Amino acid sequence: MLLSKAAIGSKVKVVSLESKGLLRRRMMDLGLIPDSEIEVIRESPLGDPRAYGIKGSQIALRREEASQIVVEVVN
Amino acid sequence: MGLTCESCSRGVLKKKFNLRCGEKFVIALAGNPNVGKSTVFNELTGLKQHTGNWPGKTVVNARGNYRYEDMEFVLMDLPGTYSLLASSVEEQVARDFICFGQPDVTIVVVDGTCLERNLNLVLQVMELTHNVVVCVNLIDEAERKGIFIDIKALEEELGVPVVGTIAREGVGLEELKRRVLNVALNIENLNPKKISYSKPVEDAIKGIEPEIDRILKGKLNSRWVALRLIDGDNTIVNSIYEHIYDKKTLEIEGEEVLVNA
Amino acid sequence: MHRQFLGKFNELVRISDLSSFTYGDSLRDSIVKDIYRAAEEVTKKVVTQKSQRKITFDKKIDDLLTSKIFGYPIMILLLGLVFWITITGANYPSQMLANLFFWLEGKLTYLFMVLGSPQWLHGILILGIYRTLAWVISVMLPPMAIFFPIFTLLEDLGYLPRVAFNLDRLFKKAGAHGKQSLTMSMGFGCNAAGIIACRIIESPREKLIAILTNNFVPCNGRFPTLIALATIFVGGLVASQYRSLAATLFVTLLVVFGIIVTLIVSWVLSKTILKGIPSSFTLELPPYRKPKIGRVIYTSLIDRTIFVLGRAIAVAVPAGLIIWILANITLGDKSILSHSAAFLDPFARMIGLDGFILMAFIIGLPANEIVVPIIIMSYMSKGAMLELESLLEMQRLFIDNGWTFLTALNVMLFSLFHFPCGTALWTIGKETGSLKWTMLSALIPTVIGIAVCFIVTQGARLLGLVF
């Protein structure tokens, strides 16, 4: 599943990153590395971007960025 | 002293980074964005600060002074960054200052409410220089969130001084200044934690480190440079050119050099 | 010796080139992963997590501030409140400063007379330079000294990133960054400060878009002009008790128009000269924090207010000199100012202005605040800038000089869309480090302003609308 499709309030785990180069590096710097847990916290009033809880901080990502991250739901 | 940048000519570099400091200690202040780094900076330096831009960059640079135990300290506020892997100008500026500006001590301010994310930067700074003091800020906020950090244990884990602070209220800053002075005077017992990389990475390092070491002749930590090159980071090569092989001297020699862009 | 160094350096370049294709993403990923793993291990050993009270509290605030229903109304309400406090709060200190400067002017004039200095010297120094300076300080300082601390307070609280979060979708469609909403809000205080604020946008392309379009939000210097003209000419159309309401609505309409143009221009820029892939968007929403008042006042007053004022003063001094010379040196029977106005008049009429108005915008370059005083000065054929006692007097003067509703509308539109003031241009030059972008930042709004005024004027004339 893609992170951009994960339901609000759900907890997911990063499987892999599809982006390349600098963007990939930036995503990883934010803590989006395989196996790390992400909470889908909220969406903005217009639905995009959405805020994610990543390693203790709340980071907003646009759909374009979030759809490059493959995740799986954690129970 | 740090083990890196040992023999680069400090005078030239100080001029490059606009430092005029005689016998003062140079302290770099690093940290993630939004961790209260500028509060720490303001509390330490008061109103004695100058702002400007980093040489050749549009990144803002703030510099201030403080006195402690009759000694002068120049505090350089580095841009707030998540890492030092040079994926932005800010990160490059912060990295280059720690690497080539050779501060006597680097303070890394971390947010007590999300320690894990912040330790990422601490560990990266510790790869570059051993003279590190970690300032765990916002411990009051962390406690309100139900997060408790064992400062003593963290100090043991990292092998460098760790101080808990509430910078807004000035709590812990005396201790911070004391530990910074200790590190500057070389009287702290430093045993910085080394990151051990997975086997493929370590193998790759082994493959190119000896050659890099031969080229740099101890001017920089060759293991760290090797890691950056494996990482595909070309900016380090430019920075080495800029800071170690001073451009001006080369031009006098009439040499034209193509820098790898 | 250098040659030897260089040889070594080239070897390093070679290793670097080799490395960049020898090692792949997976190896690079594991470097980052290993660092994070180490950080995670340390964290597990030293951190204990208990209750989560504060987190739930922050979440509740966020639920409200970014909610589908309340998110936008709260934003608009807060922005409106900031404006209201700034505009009403600035009146009184502005008047006081003006009185103080006027009193000092009297004293200085007396001193010049006692010393027996020639008339022209007094004219240049006092009526020219001093009066321009006094004007700029007394109208610029109070609103900035009120606006910036309030704005910095919202920043310190952690509210501003939420605004960027709420609005990013709109800006994304325009090829810009959500944080541009913040630099625009800052622009309401002062465009120069808004342009400096563009530093918070990390990606160069989006940052440039934000810098180039910041001028489309009217700053503190233009608000008084818009309000005064709207009160006279729009408020005049309705019954007196609805006057200020009608004026307020009309100014709001103009601001909204400015924002729409901002988005359109951003979109055009991102599709043409600033074409490229949208940079990655990441925005941290930090936890809410209790602001530290001392720090808020310090950063807003020292870093923003004094800084902007300093630049404004540096531009106002030579401008005061030029304005005085233009208004007082005569060629034949008219001043240079009148000659220039006569020259510009035919063009100015085409866009619904007149020569004096256009000239006032041009020599009002140092600060938008002095545009109306220069218009008044020109109409009254005086040699120095002055202000009228009441709006009524201003209305009479303007109407006597041939103003109609259409003229006022065009002045307001041109005030909204014309080249940035000297301080803002200087700042754009400093921030972009490029003459090209600075020129373009002046050209874009001016061309739009001329086009809008031309269409409005010719359209109204064509339709036979006489206001």
Side-chain angles (χ1 to χ4, degrees):
Chain A
M1 183 176 58
L2 300 177
L3 180 59
S4 53
K5 298 270 162 57
I8 305 264
S10 66
K11 282 204 168 84
V12 295
K13 202 167 87 177
V14 177
V15 175
S16 66
L17 278 83
E18 300 291 299
S19 49
K20 292 264 168 282
L22 219 58
L23 179 58
R24 184 187 187 84
R25 173 48 48 80
R26 268 202 117 31
M27 295 288 122
M28 294 184 87
D29 282 349
L30 291 173
L32 291 160
I33 47 174
D35 291 339
S36 60
E37 268 196 24
I38 300 174
E39 189 192 346
V40 186
I41 301 180
R42 66 181 68 253
E43 59 179 14
S44 83
L46 296 172
D48 185 41
R50 304 204 298 173
Y52 302 94
I54 306 165
K55 293 205 188 282
S57 329
Q58 210 180 152
I59 311 267
L61 299 175
R62 283 179 180 169
R63 190 174 298 141
E64 284 80 352
E65 274 81 43
S67 63
Q68 305 217 3
I69 300 160
V70 181
V71 295
E72 61 185 23
V73 177
V74 198
N75 298 314
Chain B
M1 283 307 301
L3 300 176
T4 54
C5 305
E6 205 84 273
S7 49
C8 18
S9 124
R10 224 178 140 179
V12 173
L13 290 165
K14 285 203 166 151
K15 218 183 268 165
K16 251 188 185 151
F17 286 107
N18 298 322
L19 293 176
R20 261 174 286 127
C21 47
E23 288 308 299
K24 298 168 188 171
F25 289 116
V26 177
I27 315 295
L29 190 66
N32 283 18
N34 297 314
V35 295
K37 190 162 67 70
S38 46
T39 318
V40 173
F41 181 77
N42 290 336
E43 290 290 329
L44 285 179
T45 62
L47 302 182
K48 283 168 284 175
Q49 39 180 273
H50 314 268
T51 50
N53 282 5
W54 290 94
K57 306 269 162 45
T58 48
V59 180
V60 205
N61 131 350
R63 182 162 42 103
N65 297 305
Y66 72 89
R67 276 186 83 78
Y68 181 70
E69 299 277 335
D70 277 330
M71 268 165 277
E72 280 289 328
F73 294 80
V74 181
L75 194 62
M76 294 292 288
D77 192 13
L78 304 181
T81 56
Y82 290 111
S83 88
L84 287 182
L85 299 176
S87 53
S88 70
V89 191
E90 283 77 11
E91 287 174 16
Q92 205 186 324
V93 164
R95 179 199 71 189
D96 283 359
F97 185 79
I98 298 173
C99 181
F100 303 102
Q102 261 195 309
D104 293 294
V105 184
T106 301
I107 302 174
V108 188
V109 184
V110 301
D111 180 348
T113 64
C114 44
L115 190 66
E116 184 181 336
R117 152 189 308 289
N118 286 248
L119 282 180
N120 181 38
L121 180 69
V122 174
L123 292 169
Q124 288 184 34
V125 172
M126 279 166 40
E127 279 193 313
L128 258 177
T129 167
H130 291 186
N131 296 357
V132 174
V133 175
V134 176
C135 162
V136 182
N137 194 26
L138 306 169
I139 45 173
D140 54 335
E141 226 172 90
E143 278 172 23
R144 248 179 281 136
K145 276 190 171 184
I147 299 166
F148 296 88
I149 299 162
D150 186 342
I151 300 286
K152 199 98 207 95
L154 183 58
E155 184 162 321
E156 263 161 40
E157 275 299 317
L158 295 176
V160 296
V162 178
V163 182
T165 63
I166 310 169
R168 281 166 189 254
E169 287 159 28
V171 175
L173 294 176
E174 273 302 305
E175 167 80 355
L176 179 65
K177 284 191 256 188
R178 192 174 63 79
R179 303 300 287 273
V180 167
L181 176 67
N182 286 353
V183 172
L185 294 176
N186 216 356
I187 53 175
E188 281 276 355
N189 234 339
L190 301 174
N191 180 25
K193 182 186 172 73
K194 252 179 88 178
I195 302 169
S196 50
Y197 290 96
S198 46
K199 195 165 180 308
V201 179
E202 290 289 350
D203 286 348
I205 296 173
K206 279 196 199 104
I208 58 171
E209 192 192 339
E211 208 177 339
I212 293 171
D213 196 39
R214 197 173 48 74
I215 296 168
L216 293 173
K217 291 195 176 119
K219 283 192 177 75
L220 278 177
N221 180 337
S222 52
R223 177 185 163 88
W224 180 79
V225 175
L227 268 167
R228 296 289 71 77
L229 295 185
I230 294 166
D231 208 16
D233 172 9
N234 293 329
T235 64
I236 186 63
V237 177
N238 293 340
S239 295
I240 289 173
Y241 178 76
E242 218 174 281
H243 296 292
I244 296 186
Y245 302 83
D246 189 30
K247 234 175 199 161
K248 284 203 181 90
T249 11
L250 288 171
E251 278 165 6
I252 295 165
E253 287 285 295
E255 288 268 5
E256 281 286 330
V257 190
L258 266 179
V259 184
N260 177 33
Chain C
M1 185 183 143
H2 289 297
R3 205 171 296 265
Q4 192 190 340
F5 271 137
L6 217 55
K8 295 254 184 247
F9 178 72
N10 285 336
E11 272 182 61
L12 194 66
V13 173
R14 189 181 49 76
I15 298 175
S16 159
D17 286 347
L18 201 64
S19 311
S20 40
F21 64 87
T22 310
Y23 309 109
D25 269 351
S26 74
L27 205 58
R28 284 169 194 150
D29 284 5
S30 60
I31 292 179
V32 183
K33 236 191 297 187
D34 291 342
I35 299 174
Y36 260 108
R37 206 199 41 236
E40 198 182 326
E41 276 169 17
V42 174
T43 310
K44 276 198 183 125
K45 284 183 195 159
V46 303
V47 171
T48 40
Q49 170 90 46
K50 284 174 190 158
S51 78
Q52 294 219 323
R53 206 158 42 87
K54 163 87 164 105
I55 299 178
T56 22
F57 178 68
D58 267 24
K59 271 202 169 150
K60 280 201 178 121
I61 298 182
D62 268 341
D63 282 344
L64 184 71
L65 293 181
T66 67
S67 95
K68 279 196 164 61
I69 304 164
F70 299 110
Y72 292 129
I74 289 175
M75 237 166 51
I76 293 164
L77 220 66
L78 273 173
L79 192 66
L81 190 70
V82 173
F83 284 150
W84 184 77
I85 296 174
T86 306
I87 292 167
T88 50
N91 276 337
Y92 186 64
S94 260
Q95 200 52 54
M96 254 173 46
L97 273 176
N99 290 343
L100 179 74
F101 281 122
F102 189 68
W103 173 81
L104 199 63
E105 188 186 307
K107 295 285 168 204
L108 287 170
T109 303
Y110 179 71
L111 191 70
F112 271 75
M113 274 163 60
V114 171
L115 293 176
S117 72
Q119 196 70 49
W120 61 266
L121 189 67
H122 172 257
I124 288 180
L125 292 180
I126 301 299
L127 298 178
I129 294 173
Y130 176 85
R131 204 177 266 191
T132 310
L133 205 60
W135 202 291
V136 169
I137 294 174
S138 60
V139 284
M140 255 176 119
L141 182 59
M144 282 200 303
I146 297 171
F147 182 83
F148 287 142
I150 304 178
F151 201 76
T152 313
L153 189 73
L154 288 177
E155 193 178 358
D156 222 38
L157 273 168
Y159 179 61
L160 297 189
R162 271 75 185 177
V163 174
F165 179 66
N166 285 349
L167 290 172
D168 182 64
R169 181 91 192 276
L170 282 177
F171 285 91
K172 183 173 102 179
K173 283 202 168 149
H177 195 291
K179 283 186 191 164
Q180 191 173 326
S181 57
L182 307 185
T183 64
M184 283 166 69
S185 318
M186 190 68 129
F188 283 116
C190 166
N191 292 124
I195 289 155
I196 294 172
C198 294
R199 286 174 181 167
I200 59 169
I201 302 172
E202 299 97 359
S203 40
R205 200 178 71 95
E206 280 85 347
K207 183 189 291 178
L208 209 49
I209 291 177
I211 289 177
L212 292 180
T213 55
N214 194 272
N215 189 46
F216 292 121
V217 291
C219 63
N220 260 320
R222 288 182 274 173
F223 257 109
T225 308
L226 298 180
I227 292 170
L229 293 181
T231 310
I232 296 175
F233 289 92
V234 182
L237 299 176
V238 297
S240 63
Q241 66 264 39
Y242 299 121
R243 248 192 138 154
S244 55
L245 183 70
T248 309
L249 283 176
F250 193 76
V251 172
T252 312
L253 215 64
L254 280 175
V255 171
V256 171
F257 188 37
I259 293 171
I260 292 171
V261 171
T262 302
L263 291 172
I264 295 173
V265 173
S266 299
W267 182 80
V268 171
L269 282 173
S270 75
K271 289 280 173 287
T272 55
I273 43 176
L274 286 170
K275 201 152 91 182
I277 320 136
S279 319
S280 74
F281 172 87
T282 52
L283 172 75
E284 193 176 342
L285 303 174
Y288 293 101
R289 268 164 204 164
K290 205 170 70 191
K292 207 180 163 196
I293 303 298
R295 201 177 77 84
V296 166
I297 291 175
Y298 179 82
T299 28
S300 56
L301 291 190
I302 303 296
D303 282 5
R304 288 171 180 162
T305 311
I306 300 296
F307 178 77
V308 171
L309 198 67
R311 280 191 184 175
I313 288 171
V315 185
V317 170
L321 180 69
I322 292 169
I323 293 170
W324 189 85
I325 289 174
L326 290 177
N328 289 279
I329 307 249
T330 48
L331 296 173
D333 57 340
K334 283 192 293 184
S335 66
I336 303 181
L337 181 66
S338 303
H339 280 295
S340 318
F343 172 76
L344 290 174
D345 203 62
F347 173 71
R349 298 262 170 214
M350 272 165 42
I351 55 172
L353 307 174
D354 68 30
F356 284 114
I357 301 171
L358 193 55
M359 199 56 201
F361 274 111
I362 294 169
I363 56 180
L365 179 77
N368 284 296
E369 286 87 347
I370 60 174
V371 170
V372 170
I374 295 174
I375 297 177
I376 297 172
M377 169 182 93
S378 318
Y379 285 154
M380 298 183 73
S381 310
K382 287 279 162 59
M385 286 196 295
L386 47 104
E387 196 173 22
L388 295 170
E389 285 300 313
S390 68
L391 281 181
L392 206 68
E393 242 180 288
M394 192 152 118
Q395 179 175 12
R396 201 174 306 133
L397 179 73
F398 286 169
I399 290 174
D400 285 348
N401 281 278
W403 280 45
T404 61
F405 177 83
L406 189 62
T407 322
L409 178 64
N410 282 316
V411 173
M412 287 189 274
L413 286 171
F414 202 69
S415 174
L416 191 59
F417 305 119
H418 73 288
F419 41 84
C421 73
T423 314
L425 282 173
W426 180 348
T427 309
I428 294 170
K430 278 245 166 185
E431 294 296 308
T432 61
S434 133
L435 188 66
K436 181 182 121 193
W437 294 120
T438 313
M439 303 279 274
L440 204 65
S441 73
L443 204 63
I444 296 170
T446 312
V447 168
I448 292 176
I450 291 173
V452 168
C453 291
F454 181 81
I455 293 167
V456 167
T457 309
Q458 301 305 323
R461 287 188 190 149
L462 210 68
L463 295 173
L465 295 172
V466 183
F467 297 99

